[in-house]
Amino acid sequence: MKVVVIGAGYAGTIAANRLVKKADAEVTVVNPRADFVERVRLHEHIAGSGTALTPLTDMLDPRIRLVVGAVDKIGDGTLLLADGTSLPFDRAIYAAGGAPTAPSGTYVVGAIETAELARQALADLPDGAAVTVVGGGLTGIETAAEVAESRPALRVRLISEGEVGASLGPGARARVRRDLDRLGVVVERGRYTEDDGAGLVLWAVATQVSDLAARSGLAVDDAGRVLVDEYLRSTSDPRIVAVGDGASVPGQRLSCQTALPQGAHGADNLARELAGEPMKAYSMGYTGQNVSIGRRSAVIQAARRDDSPTRIQFGGRSAALVKEQVCRMAKGAAKTARYAWLPAPR
Ligand SMILES: Cc1cc2nc3c(=O)[nH]c(=O)nc-3n(C[C@H](O)[C@H](O)[C@H](O)COP(=O)(O)OP(=O)(O)OC[C@H]3O[C@@H](n4cnc5c(N)ncnc54)[C@H](O)[C@@H]3O)c2cc1C
């Protein structure tokens, strides 16, 4: 059986690696570049404190064929690639993930192409220049802190329409604010305007996903995520399993904590199908959130399985070590295909 995996992020990479381990399938991965992008490290990539890139040949099982290219359209059992070639499939795993956009003149944090440009633009900024980070979610917090820590002579401002760190509990939120203060990040409530005046604007609002599914005619939700059944199969084409940021799974948050179990479960279900066994319904419960505050601090927020924050949270250097381990574990899970998770709450 020919299986193509569209996108080699966290969801697609774990799915492909897990499938070749569990089933006798011919697996091909299509991805626009030959690197695995650790999106959770893009703020480090921008600040120059780390890299988000690992060659995909180091991530994918040698039995997997890698095609470097972009899928332009998903047809009836065929993928049409941007270079005009096509790839037939019996089953496909849709893992095209996030595709954040931003107003002109600003740099998207959540995409490697713009993160690389932002890294250069930041390196070129003279001391004393102003940097604005737009978005008070975890990505915005991590980006503002990382830039402020690596370039203390810059003036860093974090601007957010809503409360900064709104997904965290009050204790963790207060901790984040103290850490940002310590790094000299000025936090403002408000909306970004073009006359912002900063030397560099980093756009850390990353909710948009690839429009590939919508433009291919698959059934999608308002945001363009593939509508799936309880087995993670597209409701309009059951040959396609959708996983990660690009899948519309009720109650799920865009994260690798979501992408990894979905990728693993999607692959397991295809392996079951190939073995003539019934598929299993997808179920997943959360454990918490973690946000880096530069390289030396972080905030860890424990959560109930429904993703609501508990009162348990901690920060500082020990939290930074935990956060680093979580990032390594996420990449390691994608590579080894070994991952265990909690079921959803009843
Ligand atoms: C700075 C930052 C920090 C983050 N921190 C955390 C964190 O601490 N914890 C956490 O859980 N989550 C975090 N996230 C969110 C997390 O990174 C995403 O939710 C996760 O990457 C989703 O994985 P995915 O595999 O679904 O999609 P992606 O990682 O977006 O991968 C999608 C892949 O598909 C490819 N693709 C796209 N279009 C096509 C096409 N047409 N044809 C072929 N391939 C295509 C892309 O190039 C990419 O390789 C963070 C995100 C950012 C930006």
Side-chain angles (χ1 to χ4, degrees), residues 114-132:
T114 41
E116 299 212 294
L117 296 172
R119 180 184 175 113
Q120 190 55 52
L122 181 68
D124 291 344
L125 274 187
D127 285 352
V131 175
T132 295

Side-chain angles (χ1 to χ4, degrees), residues 8-23:
Y10 292 95
T13 300
I14 195 172
N17 283 328
R18 197 141 159 142
L19 192 58
V20 284
K21 283 190 169 63
K22 294 201 168 191

Side-chain angles (χ1 to χ4, degrees), residues 6-12 30-33 35 37-43 69-72 95-99 109-111 113 139 142-143 206 210 212 215 243-246 253-259 290-291 323 326-327:
I6 305 166
Y10 292 95
V30 188
N31 196 64
R33 58 189 296 158
D35 304 296
V37 176
E38 262 182 284
R39 284 184 82 205
V40 304
R41 291 197 194 275
L42 283 175
H43 57 297
V71 178
D72 193 37
V109 174
E113 295 76 15
T139 301
E142 291 192 325
T143 305
S210 167
L212 174 62
R215 92 179 116 83
V243 291
D245 280 3
R253 156 165 64 88
L254 300 188
S255 63
C256 29
Q257 202 179 149
T258 309
N290 44 68
V291 51
K323 166 75 183 174
V326 169
C327 293

Side-chain angles (χ1 to χ4, degrees), residues 124-212:
D124 291 344
L125 274 187
D127 285 352
V131 175
T132 295
V133 178
V134 184
L138 303 191
T139 301
I141 294 167
E142 291 192 325
T143 305
E146 200 78 29
V147 170
E149 187 183 81
S150 63
R151 292 286 308 274
L154 294 176
R155 292 177 289 125
V156 182
R157 189 169 70 111
L158 176 62
I159 177 167
S160 175
E161 281 183 42
E163 190 169 8
V164 169
S167 61
L168 303 168
R173 249 192 333 261
R175 207 181 265 285
V176 164
R177 289 297 288 264
R178 281 198 300 275
D179 273 0
L180 290 174
D181 272 356
R182 177 178 51 77
L183 290 169
V185 176
V186 174
V187 176
E188 276 176 30
R189 283 289 280 273
R191 181 182 279 256
Y192 166 77
T193 53
E194 273 180 20
D195 58 359
D196 180 83
L200 177 69
V201 179
L202 299 171
W203 195 262
V205 185
T207 52
Q208 301 100 329
V209 297
S210 167
D211 64 353
L212 174 62

Side-chain angles (χ1 to χ4, degrees), residues 1-4 19-20 23-28 63 65 274:
M1 175 174 293
K2 287 183 169 54
V3 181
V4 292
L19 192 58
V20 284
D24 185 19
E26 203 182 295
V27 179
T28 302
R63 288 167 287 184
R65 177 178 165 225
L274 273 171

